[in-house]
Amino acid sequence: MDFSVVELSAEDEAFRAEVREFLASVVTEDVIRRDRETGDNFDEGVHLALGAAGYLEKEWKTEADGGFSRVRRRIWELEKRRAEVPWVTWGTTAMVARSVAKFASPEIRDDVLRGVFDGTVRLCLGYTEPEGGSDVATCKTRAVRDGDQWVINGSKMFTTGAHNCQYVFLITNTDPEAPKHKSLTMFLVPLDSEGIEIQGIRTVDGDRTNIVYYSDVRVDDKYRLGDVNGGWTVVREPLDAEHGAVAAADDGLADVAIMMHQAGFMAEALDNVAALVGRSGAVDDGSVAYRLGRSVARMEASLSSPSIFGRVALAQTMRDIAPDLMDIAGSVAALPIGADGGADDRSEYVYRFAPLVGIYGGTLEVFRNMIAQHVLGLGKPNYSAPKAKAS
């Protein structure tokens, strides 16, 4: 029995054909080329078309609320990957919108969600600080109350998509004297506010992210999400989603771990290198066959690892096998996708992206500590200097 096959109804087959045709019409070669050049992982024309067609709202909502059925949701996700829809900004938008729906005032909630569904409102994450690392609770960006407003000063690093968004989901410190998890307050800050400066940063894999400076930015209290100093409650759910610490779906119609989109590039790179080796006859070399087989085995194991384990396994596997794939493919692998004379095997992109996939949302070291502490019950790590031995 092949457990990987889902028998689709005639209606679902028709839905897949409809989606495939629609995406092919909006995600053109020009869109893909422009996305690679800018590194934005976002195209406004495509995003607005998805909103106008109702796909954004159906993806965000549950089936009970008028969203996709479970099968159609899976079809939609897979077809988006097949078409290479620029996706990162929608990912952060959908994540933050759930906190907006839960914690925002009705006035803000209704206005923001309406724009989220039609594509005119996008949301980004304002967590990491230039000197803060992966621990967002060490937040130094200050928000000080001034009547019905708050004055915000500080800076945030890796605010991906800020230049294409209307709001930032901003974590601030509103009580420096309190314990770090009880000093935080969340705001949905309009990015056109006076005092905000967005500067682009290009990462080694070609993507664009941003550093954002907040200088005496005034924000009305209506943009506060949740209680003052209760921000940790507001941010925990999006953080868990970003970390991949979520339960697996009972019906199997969902990714077993986050980063599966990027893992798809890894799988495609491996398939293409295997085809390249097969055509050249190099697979007859025992060392080539061994390294290729080892890469396949590592990748398959990582693709089957669930939740936060999969988050770590996918990132580590990408780091481990990307150099082998480039080495096996040879000099042609050094050419980027679309380059003249290239094989378009994607291994060059996977090689550049591999270091970053182990940083996004937190470093692999942080995730391993989370597994050790919260899953294996090993307690918190001790980074203090070793005690001197008695003489």
Side-chain angles (χ1 to χ4, degrees), residues 14 46 56 72 128 136 163-164 187 213 225 233 244 250 266 270 279 287 324 387:
V46 172
L56 297 181
R72 293 194 179 189
T128 306
V136 299
H163 58 300
N164 292 315
F187 293 91
Y213 297 97
L225 302 179
T233 299
D250 292 337
M266 175 171 60
L270 202 155
R279 289 193 299 269
S287 66
D324 265 352
K387 294 180 179 179

Side-chain angles (χ1 to χ4, degrees), residues 233-267:
T233 299
V234 180
V235 79
R236 276 298 300 273
E237 189 172 321
L239 272 180
D240 284 346
E242 189 179 13
H243 291 165
V246 293
D250 292 337
D251 56 17
L253 292 172
D255 293 335
V256 296
I258 64 169
M259 296 293 179
M260 292 296 287
H261 176 88
Q262 293 87 342
F265 288 124
M266 175 171 60

Side-chain angles (χ1 to χ4, degrees), residues 202-207 352-353 355-356:
R202 182 75 72 148
T203 61
V204 70
D205 70 318
D207 288 348
R352 284 187 288 116
F353 187 73
L356 289 95

